[in-house]
Amino acid sequence: MADYSVCESLLSQQCVAYEDGAVAELCALIRRLGGDETTASDIVARIDPDAGIVSAEDVRRVGLQGLGRKVEDSPIEIIDAYNVPKLVFERSTKKIHVETENSGTIMDSKSLVDVHLKRLNLIIHRVERHRMFMPDRIGSRSNTIKIIDIKSLRGMVGTKCFLLGVLFQRQERTVALEDTSGCVDLDLTATQSTEGLFTESSVVLVEGEMRIDGVFDAKAMGFPPLEPKEDVLKVMKGVNYFGGQAISEEIFPALQAREIENVDERIFVFSDVWLDKQTVRDDLSRVFQVFNDMGEDCPELFVLMGNFHSETDVDIRGSKMNFKKLANIFNRFENLKENAHFVFVPGPNEFGDLAVLPKFPLMDEIVAPVKRVLKKVTFTTNPCRVRLFTQEIVILREELLNKMLRSLVKAPKLDSSSQDSLFKACCSTLIHQSHLCPVPSNSSPIYSQLDHALQIYPQPDLFILADGAQMQASVDVKGVACLSPGRFCDKLFAAYLPASRTIELSAVPTDE
């Protein structure tokens, strides 16, 4: 496998100049193709040495064309946590760039400190671009909101102002707000709040006044506003923020046309597929039989999420037996076996995994029987991303709701008339936070070097959150389709239609 230094050396020999991202893209391309230094050399040799400054897009295009493969030939791409670009906002330049240094899982003190700062800076970038917080052309801020630093609160007793910072709790359950300049205690007794779950470690906007006792009396609290995705993409033009193969302007229309033409195309999502239960395996067989009988019209993509067992504690022998039974099921359905693409996402309690996000793919030793049977199968990380035609999908399997409820600093505002209100509040929180796990690290540990893999900025087209505590539901949050597929062990699953961007909630019929 060609490492970073080899790729850098090859580009230096062939090109007059190149962007930093070109080296990272060449490394990622070689990893994706399973190639080595020879493959890297072949790709670089096809780059025109007189082309000027070579970009990551140039490397990607040359590499894929040389292999006789076009991006539009494969409308499905799975992106694991290790291949998600690390977006960093530099406050000095007020620009977002992709950090190209390699990410690992080692958690040092510096990375742990930087995680929350980078999350906050990314949201600051988002807020500063919003029309509510931008001064008009003559410099007057009479019609806009001015956010001040916490350190500036001194001497502003009784003056209404707005703060942006991270919520946390001191000892004795005192809630405070922290930004890059300092922190201040909050009084949330009479605070009006917007929809969402206000947890420790979440970034919020607070309106209120400083009291003489040094406590900020919060009158209103809400999440930072979202930008329309199309506005974000204009600013991030040329930045591959999602990962995988970036869709160029040249091939976007062709992919979009295919997306619209396939009006009946669906991706099916299953969670909590308990392979150790005979009833679950029987239900899975019944569903697969229907799809297998569809011939050429069978669905192209199936997403199966854990946990893949019903027990709280499972050993490697039991896990291997479960996937051997699953392989036997697949062997009965030749059409699916040859034509469908299956994606497996680990659950929060799989064998050999730690209670840390992102989670590693299921062990090869366990899933080997399924790999031998299926022609197209991907065992990926949790969370992961899927690019389907032109659409971007983020998938997370985590028992997140209970963690968020335990980390609340204020009771949530919910719509009592809707049974999906708690799921919508949860999804709204994650999307406004631009992060999949806005809770303290002691509630849900994260590999700090891979924290960027949990970022969701810009917001995706579809967000799938499989949480055992959530009901089967579908809601829309600021243009993002949000899906809770339910548990397949309870006979529930769901489908997404990319052409119409709609969700279908389904269930296995019960025997009469």
Side-chain angles (χ1 to χ4, degrees):
M1 187 71 69
D3 60 20
Y4 191 91
S5 61
V6 170
C7 292
E8 187 174 36
S9 175
L10 289 170
L11 282 171
S12 298
Q13 295 170 26
Q14 177 74 6
C15 310
V16 175
Y18 56 86
E19 297 176 355
D20 289 342
V23 183
E25 179 59 35
L26 181 57
C27 292
L29 191 59
I30 300 306
R31 283 198 304 270
R32 193 157 60 239
L33 300 173
D36 53 15
E37 185 175 341
T38 301
T39 308
S41 181
D42 290 342
I43 292 173
V44 172
R46 291 192 294 271
I47 298 175
D48 183 358
D50 300 321
I53 300 177
V54 175
S55 67
E57 177 62 27
D58 294 331
V59 173
R60 184 183 309 111
R61 183 176 60 253
V62 169
L64 295 176
Q65 287 175 349
L67 292 166
R69 174 185 171 197
K70 297 180 180 178
V71 177
E72 60 264 36
D73 288 340
S74 178
I76 300 170
E77 184 175 14
I78 315 302
I79 302 145
D80 64 27
Y82 300 101
N83 289 301
V84 173
K86 183 185 290 186
L87 300 182
V88 178
F89 172 62
E90 296 291 347
R91 296 198 69 179
S92 57
T93 61
K94 295 189 179 297
K95 291 184 178 180
I96 285 181
H97 70 272
V98 176
E99 198 170 277
T100 56
E101 64 183 47
N102 293 332
S103 297
T105 57
I106 298 175
M107 294 180 280
D108 54 45
S109 57
K110 183 179 183 301
S111 64
L112 289 170
V113 171
D114 285 348
V115 161
H116 289 287
L117 180 60
K118 288 179 178 179
R119 290 188 202 173
L120 177 60
N121 281 339
L122 195 62
I123 291 182
I124 288 173
H125 163 75
R126 199 179 81 200
V127 170
E128 288 179 343
R129 288 183 36 76
H130 198 278
R131 65 180 184 275
M132 290 172 56
F133 304 93
M134 293 177 66
D136 61 28
R137 294 182 181 179
I138 62 173
S140 170
R141 300 199 68 128
S142 57
N143 296 321
T144 58
I145 295 173
K146 181 179 180 180
I147 297 173
I148 67 168
D149 293 333
I150 288 175
K151 69 177 181 181
S152 303
L153 287 174
R154 296 176 182 176
M156 296 185 67
V157 175
T159 303
K160 185 177 82 168
C161 51
F162 294 84
L163 308 177
L164 176 69
V166 181
L167 289 171
F168 72 100
Q169 287 194 327
R170 299 184 191 270
Q171 294 180 349
E172 300 179 357
R173 307 295 290 177
T174 300
V175 179
L177 188 74
E178 183 177 22
D179 65 10
T180 56
S181 69
C183 59
V184 63
D185 289 344
L186 300 178
D187 183 351
L188 302 178
T189 307
T191 305
Q192 297 293 316
S193 61
T194 57
E195 179 186 62
L197 304 178
F198 293 89
T199 63
E200 294 180 69
S201 296
S202 60
V203 180
V204 295
L205 273 168
V206 182
E207 176 189 357
E209 300 175 358
M210 191 67 171
R211 296 198 311 232
I212 196 168
D213 61 358
V215 175
F216 191 79
D217 188 7
K219 305 298 184 184
M221 182 169 65
F223 291 130
L226 289 172
E227 285 182 282
K229 187 172 182 177
E230 55 269 22
D231 292 348
V232 182
L233 297 182
K234 290 177 184 177
V235 176
M236 299 182 70
K237 189 174 183 180
V239 176
N240 183 6
Y241 60 88
F242 193 73
Q245 303 172 24
I247 302 177
S248 65
E249 293 180 357
E250 292 78 15
I251 67 172
F252 186 90
L255 270 179
Q256 191 172 54
R258 286 183 60 187
E259 177 181 291
I260 296 171
E261 289 169 3
N262 291 305
V263 292
D264 296 322
E265 182 59 47
R266 291 168 171 79
I267 66 170
F268 285 88
V269 185
F270 305 80
S271 180
D272 289 272
V273 184
W274 290 355
L275 299 175
D276 58 336
K277 294 294 186 182
Q278 183 64 49
T279 54
V280 173
R281 297 198 302 273
D282 290 344
D283 285 340
L284 200 60
S285 297
R286 292 174 65 189
V287 172
F288 284 170
Q289 182 67 65
V290 173
F291 296 138
N292 189 73
D293 292 344
M294 295 173 68
E296 294 181 355
D297 296 325
C298 77
E300 287 192 40
L301 183 63
F302 293 86
V303 178
L304 279 70
M305 291 181 275
N307 293 321
F308 291 103
H309 53 86
S310 61
E311 304 295 331
T312 55
D313 188 23
V314 64
D315 57 21
I316 188 168
R317 183 173 177 273
S319 296
K320 291 169 68 174
M321 182 60 67
N322 289 339
F323 277 88
K324 186 176 181 180
K325 293 174 181 177
L326 180 61
N328 292 335
I329 292 175
F330 282 127
N331 258 327
R332 294 158 45 194
F333 305 110
E334 193 67 26
N335 188 19
L336 290 181
K337 193 172 67 171
E338 292 295 320
N339 299 308
H341 190 149
F342 289 85
V343 177
F344 288 81
V345 180
N349 187 32
E350 306 293 353
F351 175 80
D353 206 358
L354 302 174
V356 185
L357 289 174
K359 291 188 172 297
F360 303 121
L362 295 164
M363 295 171 60
D364 282 343
E365 184 179 356
I366 292 173
V367 303
V370 172
K371 283 189 171 182
R372 286 193 293 267
V373 169
L374 294 177
K375 184 176 180 179
K376 294 184 285 188
V377 60
T378 302
F379 290 89
T380 188
T381 58
N382 176 21
C384 67
R385 300 180 175 192
V386 177
R387 191 189 298 280
L388 180 64
F389 296 107
T390 66
Q391 296 185 38
E392 297 162 353
I393 303 169
V394 172
I395 300 172
L396 175 66
R397 171 63 183 98
E398 179 66 359
E399 305 295 346
L400 186 60
L401 179 60
N402 287 332
K403 294 177 181 179
M404 294 182 72
L405 293 177
R406 287 194 297 267
S407 301
L408 287 176
V409 300
K410 180 177 174 56
K413 180 181 179 181
L414 301 175
D415 181 3
S416 58
S417 64
S418 173
Q419 62 178 3
D420 299 334
S421 60
L422 192 55
F423 176 64
K424 186 174 184 178
C426 179
C427 292
S428 178
T429 302
L430 304 184
I431 292 168
H432 281 85
Q433 292 298 306
S434 297
H435 200 273
L436 294 175
C437 195
V439 296
S441 57
N442 59 354
S443 296
S444 186
I446 291 173
Y447 291 115
S448 55
Q449 295 286 9
L450 290 170
D451 183 76
H452 63 280
L454 278 74
Q455 290 176 352
I456 42 174
Y457 180 77
Q459 56 267 34
D461 299 290
L462 172 65
F463 173 46
I464 300 173
L465 173 59
D467 186 328
Q470 301 274 17
M471 298 175 58
Q472 187 184 49
S474 68
V475 297
D476 180 88
V477 177
K478 303 293 184 180
V480 180
C482 300
L483 166 63
S484 172
R487 305 196 311 166
F488 191 70
C489 57
D490 295 330
K491 298 182 177 293
L492 303 176
F493 63 101
Y496 176 70
L497 289 74
S500 59
R501 298 180 181 244
T502 56
I503 291 170
E504 294 178 344
L505 301 180
S506 304
V508 181
T510 56
D511 294 325
E512 296 182 359

